[in-house]
Amino acid sequence: MECEICGADAVISTNNGTLCAEHFKQRFEEITLSTIKKYRLIKKGEKIAVANSGGKDSLSLLYILSKYFKKSNEIVSITIDEGIKGYRDKTIEIMKDYCGRYGVDYRIYSYKDFTGQTMDSITKTRSGIPCSACGVLRRHLINYAASEVHADKVATAHNMDDEAENVIMNLVQNDVDKMVRLGAYSGIIKEEGFVPRIKPFLFLSEKETMLFSMLNDINAIHTPCPYAGMGFRGLISRKIKQMETEFTGSKRNIIDAMLEIKKIYAVKTGIKINKCRYCGFPSANDICEACKLKNELGNGPAI
Ligand code: SF4
Ligand SMILES: [Zn+2]
Ligand SMILES: [Zn+2]
């Protein structure tokens, strides 16, 4: 297999091309920058908070944003510590090392400080799939962290695989309102109290982000969270992978279809966002899911 640009040995072949290591790295960065440009994700002077787990995807994102936007924008790294022993504690060390080496300001926000419990203890005391509670808390804390550092946007390293899973999960749950909030730029209307999320890796696959981090010597661990793969998301993830093997391009088609629906939905009127009675963040209900969970775990407002 030869690189389509220079004829050297190719290291990857995807919809984005058959490329050698150097041309792959170049193409990866070009796709990221063209996504940022096409969807106007970053404007000059904006403060960008990078949601940084210390994993390969978020470190790769921090690497590219620092490389191209450090002069024109302020970049800060925010990390959510779920409290998962043997996993997040390790990636946090990697994150600290990376930010220290490249002079990036970082902040850490933990579930323990917010709810009084770590994710490990929540899984012991609370029934249900760990990822459901974890997702609610992470979304909330990322918004809290971004508001606290006065960021204009939060950049997340969600890739094509993650987004395709989100689309299908929302479809299966018949939640179109939630689905149209996906895409390179979150939401379809400006929501007071919500720091917009941007996803510069939206059109790059898991396989590509993994290779990019390896080729750039980004020292990330590749072991998954011990609770990953359980429940609904795990099922959807396996099915999408199977579909992609049999019908190449399925993941990209799922995302393109969602973006088309989002465009049509954008003209729909009457979308109203409530505010949570306790934290003031946007919420579909009077009390947001995070505040309900915080209360349930014994560290929240009396409801
Ligand atoms: S896999 Fe689930 S439990 Fe683990 S960090 Fe992700 S959302 Fe949380
Ligand atoms: Zn080449
Ligand atoms: Zn709330």
Side-chain angles (χ1 to χ4, degrees), residues 99-142:
C99 290
R101 261 191 295 145
Y102 294 98
V104 179
D105 183 22
Y106 68 83
R107 310 278 177 90
I108 302 173
Y109 296 79
S110 72
Y111 286 8
K112 177 97 170 108
D113 287 343
F114 182 60
T115 68
Q117 291 196 42
T118 62
M119 199 57 216
D120 284 334
S121 64
I122 293 172
T123 57
K124 287 192 187 91
T125 54
R126 195 174 183 273
S127 59
I129 305 295
C131 296
S132 316
C134 190
V136 166
L137 294 175
R138 187 186 301 105
R139 268 192 302 281
H140 184 85
L141 275 186
I142 286 180

Short mmCIF file of all heavy atoms in Angstrom, two decimals, residues 99-142:
data_model
loop_
_atom_site.label_atom_id
_atom_site.label_comp_id
_atom_site.label_asym_id
_atom_site.label_seq_id
_atom_site.Cartn_x
_atom_site.Cartn_y
_atom_site.Cartn_z
N CYS A 99 0.77 19.20 30.22
CA CYS A 99 0.52 20.64 30.38
C CYS A 99 1.75 21.33 30.95
O CYS A 99 2.09 22.45 30.56
CB CYS A 99 -0.69 20.88 31.29
SG CYS A 99 -2.23 20.41 30.51
N GLY A 100 2.44 20.66 31.88
CA GLY A 100 3.65 21.22 32.46
C GLY A 100 4.72 21.42 31.39
O GLY A 100 5.35 22.48 31.31
N ARG A 101 4.91 20.40 30.55
CA ARG A 101 5.95 20.47 29.52
C ARG A 101 5.68 21.55 28.49
O ARG A 101 6.58 22.21 28.00
CB ARG A 101 6.05 19.12 28.81
CG ARG A 101 7.20 18.28 29.35
CD ARG A 101 7.49 17.08 28.51
NE ARG A 101 6.39 16.13 28.52
CZ ARG A 101 6.03 15.40 27.48
NH1 ARG A 101 6.68 15.53 26.34
NH2 ARG A 101 5.02 14.56 27.56
N TYR A 102 4.38 21.73 28.15
CA TYR A 102 4.06 22.69 27.08
C TYR A 102 3.51 24.02 27.61
O TYR A 102 3.03 24.85 26.85
CB TYR A 102 3.09 22.05 26.07
CG TYR A 102 3.77 20.92 25.34
CD1 TYR A 102 3.59 19.60 25.75
CD2 TYR A 102 4.65 21.17 24.29
CE1 TYR A 102 4.26 18.56 25.11
CE2 TYR A 102 5.31 20.14 23.65
CZ TYR A 102 5.11 18.84 24.07
OH TYR A 102 5.78 17.81 23.43
N GLY A 103 3.59 24.21 28.92
CA GLY A 103 3.19 25.49 29.52
C GLY A 103 1.71 25.81 29.35
O GLY A 103 1.35 26.97 29.12
N VAL A 104 0.85 24.80 29.47
CA VAL A 104 -0.60 25.06 29.37
C VAL A 104 -1.18 25.11 30.79
O VAL A 104 -0.93 24.23 31.61
CB VAL A 104 -1.32 23.93 28.56
CG1 VAL A 104 -2.82 24.19 28.48
CG2 VAL A 104 -0.70 23.78 27.18
N ASP A 105 -1.95 26.15 31.04
CA ASP A 105 -2.61 26.31 32.34
C ASP A 105 -3.69 25.23 32.48
O ASP A 105 -4.47 25.01 31.55
CB ASP A 105 -3.23 27.72 32.36
CG ASP A 105 -3.88 28.05 33.67
OD1 ASP A 105 -3.51 27.42 34.67
OD2 ASP A 105 -4.75 28.95 33.68
N TYR A 106 -3.74 24.53 33.63
CA TYR A 106 -4.78 23.49 33.77
C TYR A 106 -5.53 23.59 35.10
O TYR A 106 -4.99 24.07 36.08
CB TYR A 106 -4.20 22.08 33.60
CG TYR A 106 -3.27 21.63 34.71
CD1 TYR A 106 -3.78 21.09 35.89
CD2 TYR A 106 -1.90 21.75 34.58
CE1 TYR A 106 -2.94 20.69 36.91
CE2 TYR A 106 -1.05 21.35 35.59
CZ TYR A 106 -1.58 20.82 36.76
OH TYR A 106 -0.74 20.42 37.77
N ARG A 107 -6.76 23.14 35.09
CA ARG A 107 -7.59 23.07 36.31
C ARG A 107 -8.23 21.69 36.38
O ARG A 107 -8.57 21.11 35.35
CB ARG A 107 -8.74 24.08 36.27
CG ARG A 107 -8.34 25.50 35.92
CD ARG A 107 -7.80 26.23 37.15
NE ARG A 107 -7.36 27.55 36.74
CZ ARG A 107 -8.13 28.62 36.72
NH1 ARG A 107 -9.41 28.52 37.08
NH2 ARG A 107 -7.65 29.79 36.36
N ILE A 108 -8.42 21.21 37.60
CA ILE A 108 -9.06 19.89 37.79
C ILE A 108 -10.32 20.07 38.65
O ILE A 108 -10.27 20.76 39.68
CB ILE A 108 -8.10 18.90 38.48
CG1 ILE A 108 -6.82 18.73 37.66
CG2 ILE A 108 -8.77 17.53 38.69
CD1 ILE A 108 -5.74 17.90 38.32
N TYR A 109 -11.40 19.45 38.25
CA TYR A 109 -12.67 19.50 38.99
C TYR A 109 -13.11 18.05 39.24
O TYR A 109 -13.10 17.25 38.31
CB TYR A 109 -13.75 20.23 38.18
CG TYR A 109 -13.40 21.69 37.94
CD1 TYR A 109 -12.50 22.05 36.94
CD2 TYR A 109 -13.95 22.69 38.73
CE1 TYR A 109 -12.15 23.37 36.74
CE2 TYR A 109 -13.60 24.02 38.53
CZ TYR A 109 -12.71 24.36 37.53
OH TYR A 109 -12.37 25.66 37.33
N SER A 110 -13.47 17.75 40.49
CA SER A 110 -13.76 16.33 40.78
C SER A 110 -15.22 16.08 41.17
O SER A 110 -15.89 16.94 41.73
CB SER A 110 -12.85 15.83 41.90
OG SER A 110 -13.25 16.40 43.12
N TYR A 111 -15.66 14.85 40.89
CA TYR A 111 -16.99 14.40 41.32
C TYR A 111 -17.04 14.43 42.84
O TYR A 111 -18.06 14.73 43.43
CB TYR A 111 -17.26 12.96 40.86
CG TYR A 111 -17.55 12.79 39.38
CD1 TYR A 111 -17.40 13.83 38.48
CD2 TYR A 111 -17.98 11.56 38.89
CE1 TYR A 111 -17.65 13.66 37.14
CE2 TYR A 111 -18.25 11.38 37.54
CZ TYR A 111 -18.07 12.42 36.67
OH TYR A 111 -18.33 12.23 35.33
N LYS A 112 -15.91 14.10 43.47
CA LYS A 112 -15.85 14.03 44.94
C LYS A 112 -16.18 15.41 45.54
O LYS A 112 -16.97 15.50 46.47
CB LYS A 112 -14.45 13.57 45.35
CG LYS A 112 -14.20 13.51 46.82
CD LYS A 112 -14.39 12.10 47.34
CE LYS A 112 -13.91 11.96 48.76
NZ LYS A 112 -14.93 11.81 49.73
N ASP A 113 -15.61 16.45 44.97
CA ASP A 113 -15.90 17.79 45.49
C ASP A 113 -17.36 18.17 45.23
O ASP A 113 -17.99 18.84 46.03
CB ASP A 113 -15.00 18.85 44.83
CG ASP A 113 -13.57 18.74 45.33
OD1 ASP A 113 -13.37 18.11 46.38
OD2 ASP A 113 -12.66 19.26 44.65
N PHE A 114 -17.88 17.75 44.08
CA PHE A 114 -19.24 18.17 43.70
C PHE A 114 -20.32 17.37 44.43
O PHE A 114 -21.29 17.93 44.93
CB PHE A 114 -19.39 18.03 42.18
CG PHE A 114 -20.73 18.47 41.65
CD1 PHE A 114 -21.19 19.77 41.82
CD2 PHE A 114 -21.56 17.56 40.99
CE1 PHE A 114 -22.44 20.16 41.33
CE2 PHE A 114 -22.80 17.94 40.50
CZ PHE A 114 -23.24 19.25 40.68
N THR A 115 -20.14 16.04 44.48
CA THR A 115 -21.21 15.20 45.05
C THR A 115 -20.85 14.61 46.40
O THR A 115 -21.69 14.01 47.06
CB THR A 115 -21.55 14.00 44.12
OG1 THR A 115 -20.42 13.11 44.13
CG2 THR A 115 -21.84 14.42 42.71
N GLY A 116 -19.57 14.71 46.77
CA GLY A 116 -19.13 14.06 48.01
C GLY A 116 -18.70 12.62 47.77
O GLY A 116 -18.25 11.94 48.69
N GLN A 117 -18.85 12.14 46.54
CA GLN A 117 -18.50 10.74 46.25
C GLN A 117 -17.68 10.62 44.96
O GLN A 117 -17.86 11.41 44.03
CB GLN A 117 -19.76 9.90 46.05
CG GLN A 117 -20.57 9.71 47.32
CD GLN A 117 -21.57 8.56 47.17
OE1 GLN A 117 -21.25 7.52 46.63
NE2 GLN A 117 -22.77 8.77 47.64
N THR A 118 -16.84 9.61 44.93
CA THR A 118 -16.11 9.32 43.68
C THR A 118 -16.98 8.42 42.81
O THR A 118 -17.95 7.83 43.31
CB THR A 118 -14.79 8.57 43.96
OG1 THR A 118 -15.14 7.31 44.57
CG2 THR A 118 -13.87 9.36 44.87
N MET A 119 -16.61 8.27 41.56
CA MET A 119 -17.36 7.36 40.68
C MET A 119 -17.27 5.92 41.20
O MET A 119 -18.24 5.18 41.15
CB MET A 119 -16.76 7.46 39.25
CG MET A 119 -17.67 6.95 38.17
SD MET A 119 -19.25 7.80 38.15
CE MET A 119 -20.29 6.45 37.69
N ASP A 120 -16.10 5.55 41.74
CA ASP A 120 -15.95 4.20 42.30
C ASP A 120 -16.95 3.96 43.43
O ASP A 120 -17.56 2.90 43.50
CB ASP A 120 -14.52 3.99 42.81
CG ASP A 120 -13.52 3.77 41.67
OD1 ASP A 120 -13.95 3.29 40.59
OD2 ASP A 120 -12.33 4.09 41.86
N SER A 121 -17.14 4.97 44.29
CA SER A 121 -18.10 4.74 45.38
C SER A 121 -19.54 4.83 44.88
O SER A 121 -20.41 4.11 45.36
CB SER A 121 -17.84 5.68 46.57
OG SER A 121 -18.06 7.01 46.20
N ILE A 122 -19.79 5.67 43.87
CA ILE A 122 -21.15 5.76 43.32
C ILE A 122 -21.56 4.40 42.74
O ILE A 122 -22.68 3.93 42.94
CB ILE A 122 -21.25 6.87 42.23
CG1 ILE A 122 -21.05 8.26 42.86
CG2 ILE A 122 -22.60 6.81 41.49
CD1 ILE A 122 -20.95 9.41 41.86
N THR A 123 -20.62 3.73 42.07
CA THR A 123 -20.98 2.43 41.45
C THR A 123 -21.28 1.38 42.51
O THR A 123 -22.01 0.43 42.26
CB THR A 123 -19.85 1.88 40.54
OG1 THR A 123 -18.67 1.78 41.31
CG2 THR A 123 -19.60 2.74 39.33
N LYS A 124 -20.72 1.56 43.70
CA LYS A 124 -20.97 0.58 44.77
C LYS A 124 -22.31 0.81 45.44
O LYS A 124 -22.96 -0.13 45.90
CB LYS A 124 -19.86 0.65 45.82
CG LYS A 124 -18.56 0.04 45.29
CD LYS A 124 -17.54 -0.16 46.42
CE LYS A 124 -16.21 -0.60 45.84
NZ LYS A 124 -15.31 0.50 45.54
N THR A 125 -22.71 2.08 45.53
CA THR A 125 -23.92 2.37 46.30
C THR A 125 -25.16 2.57 45.43
O THR A 125 -26.28 2.53 45.93
CB THR A 125 -23.72 3.66 47.13
OG1 THR A 125 -23.31 4.70 46.24
CG2 THR A 125 -22.68 3.47 48.21
N ARG A 126 -24.96 2.77 44.14
CA ARG A 126 -26.09 3.12 43.28
C ARG A 126 -26.26 2.08 42.19
O ARG A 126 -25.28 1.71 41.54
CB ARG A 126 -25.80 4.49 42.65
CG ARG A 126 -26.97 5.15 42.03
CD ARG A 126 -26.58 6.54 41.57
NE ARG A 126 -27.74 7.22 41.03
CZ ARG A 126 -28.12 7.12 39.77
NH1 ARG A 126 -27.43 6.38 38.91
NH2 ARG A 126 -29.20 7.76 39.35
N SER A 127 -27.48 1.62 41.99
CA SER A 127 -27.68 0.61 40.94
C SER A 127 -27.75 1.32 39.58
O SER A 127 -27.84 2.55 39.51
CB SER A 127 -28.97 -0.17 41.20
OG SER A 127 -30.03 0.74 41.22
N GLY A 128 -27.71 0.57 38.53
CA GLY A 128 -27.79 1.16 37.19
C GLY A 128 -26.42 1.20 36.53
O GLY A 128 -25.41 0.87 37.13
N ILE A 129 -26.42 1.60 35.26
CA ILE A 129 -25.20 1.64 34.47
C ILE A 129 -24.35 2.83 34.91
O ILE A 129 -24.83 3.97 34.91
CB ILE A 129 -25.56 1.78 32.96
CG1 ILE A 129 -26.52 0.67 32.51
CG2 ILE A 129 -24.31 1.83 32.10
CD1 ILE A 129 -25.96 -0.73 32.58
N PRO A 130 -23.08 2.61 35.29
CA PRO A 130 -22.24 3.73 35.77
C PRO A 130 -22.18 4.90 34.79
O PRO A 130 -22.20 6.07 35.21
CB PRO A 130 -20.85 3.08 35.91
CG PRO A 130 -21.10 1.62 36.04
CD PRO A 130 -22.36 1.33 35.32
N CYS A 131 -22.13 4.61 33.48
CA CYS A 131 -21.95 5.69 32.49
C CYS A 131 -23.11 6.69 32.51
O CYS A 131 -22.91 7.86 32.15
CB CYS A 131 -21.79 5.12 31.09
SG CYS A 131 -20.31 4.14 30.93
N SER A 132 -24.31 6.27 32.90
CA SER A 132 -25.44 7.22 32.88
C SER A 132 -25.18 8.33 33.89
O SER A 132 -25.25 9.52 33.56
CB SER A 132 -26.75 6.52 33.25
OG SER A 132 -26.85 5.31 32.57
N ALA A 133 -24.87 7.95 35.14
CA ALA A 133 -24.60 8.96 36.17
C ALA A 133 -23.34 9.74 35.80
O ALA A 133 -23.29 10.97 35.94
CB ALA A 133 -24.42 8.28 37.52
N CYS A 134 -22.35 9.03 35.32
CA CYS A 134 -21.06 9.67 35.00
C CYS A 134 -21.23 10.73 33.92
O CYS A 134 -20.68 11.83 34.03
CB CYS A 134 -20.09 8.58 34.56
SG CYS A 134 -18.40 9.15 34.41
N GLY A 135 -22.02 10.41 32.90
CA GLY A 135 -22.24 11.36 31.80
C GLY A 135 -22.93 12.63 32.28
O GLY A 135 -22.55 13.74 31.90
N VAL A 136 -23.94 12.46 33.14
CA VAL A 136 -24.67 13.62 33.67
C VAL A 136 -23.72 14.52 34.46
O VAL A 136 -23.68 15.74 34.27
CB VAL A 136 -25.83 13.14 34.59
CG1 VAL A 136 -26.39 14.29 35.42
CG2 VAL A 136 -26.93 12.49 33.78
N LEU A 137 -22.92 13.90 35.33
CA LEU A 137 -22.01 14.69 36.17
C LEU A 137 -20.92 15.35 35.34
O LEU A 137 -20.55 16.50 35.57
CB LEU A 137 -21.39 13.79 37.25
CG LEU A 137 -22.37 13.25 38.29
CD1 LEU A 137 -21.68 12.28 39.24
CD2 LEU A 137 -23.00 14.40 39.10
N ARG A 138 -20.40 14.63 34.34
CA ARG A 138 -19.32 15.21 33.55
C ARG A 138 -19.79 16.43 32.76
O ARG A 138 -19.15 17.47 32.74
CB ARG A 138 -18.69 14.18 32.60
CG ARG A 138 -17.46 14.82 31.92
CD ARG A 138 -16.80 14.01 30.86
NE ARG A 138 -16.34 12.74 31.35
CZ ARG A 138 -16.94 11.60 31.09
NH1 ARG A 138 -18.02 11.59 30.31
NH2 ARG A 138 -16.49 10.48 31.56
N ARG A 139 -20.95 16.27 32.11
CA ARG A 139 -21.49 17.40 31.33
C ARG A 139 -21.66 18.64 32.22
O ARG A 139 -21.31 19.75 31.85
CB ARG A 139 -22.85 17.03 30.72
CG ARG A 139 -22.75 16.46 29.32
CD ARG A 139 -24.11 16.39 28.65
NE ARG A 139 -25.08 15.58 29.40
CZ ARG A 139 -25.12 14.26 29.39
NH1 ARG A 139 -24.27 13.58 28.65
NH2 ARG A 139 -26.03 13.60 30.07
N HIS A 140 -22.21 18.39 33.42
CA HIS A 140 -22.45 19.50 34.33
C HIS A 140 -21.14 20.15 34.76
O HIS A 140 -21.00 21.37 34.74
CB HIS A 140 -23.21 18.98 35.56
CG HIS A 140 -23.60 20.05 36.52
ND1 HIS A 140 -24.75 20.79 36.37
CD2 HIS A 140 -22.97 20.53 37.61
CE1 HIS A 140 -24.82 21.67 37.35
NE2 HIS A 140 -23.74 21.53 38.11
N LEU A 141 -20.18 19.32 35.16
CA LEU A 141 -18.92 19.88 35.68
C LEU A 141 -18.10 20.56 34.58
O LEU A 141 -17.40 21.53 34.85
CB LEU A 141 -18.09 18.78 36.34
CG LEU A 141 -18.44 18.50 37.81
CD1 LEU A 141 -17.47 17.51 38.42
CD2 LEU A 141 -18.42 19.78 38.65
N ILE A 142 -18.18 20.06 33.36
CA ILE A 142 -17.47 20.73 32.27
C ILE A 142 -18.04 22.14 32.08
O ILE A 142 -17.31 23.12 31.95
CB ILE A 142 -17.53 19.92 30.95
CG1 ILE A 142 -16.61 18.70 31.05
CG2 ILE A 142 -17.12 20.77 29.74
CD1 ILE A 142 -16.58 17.81 29.83
#
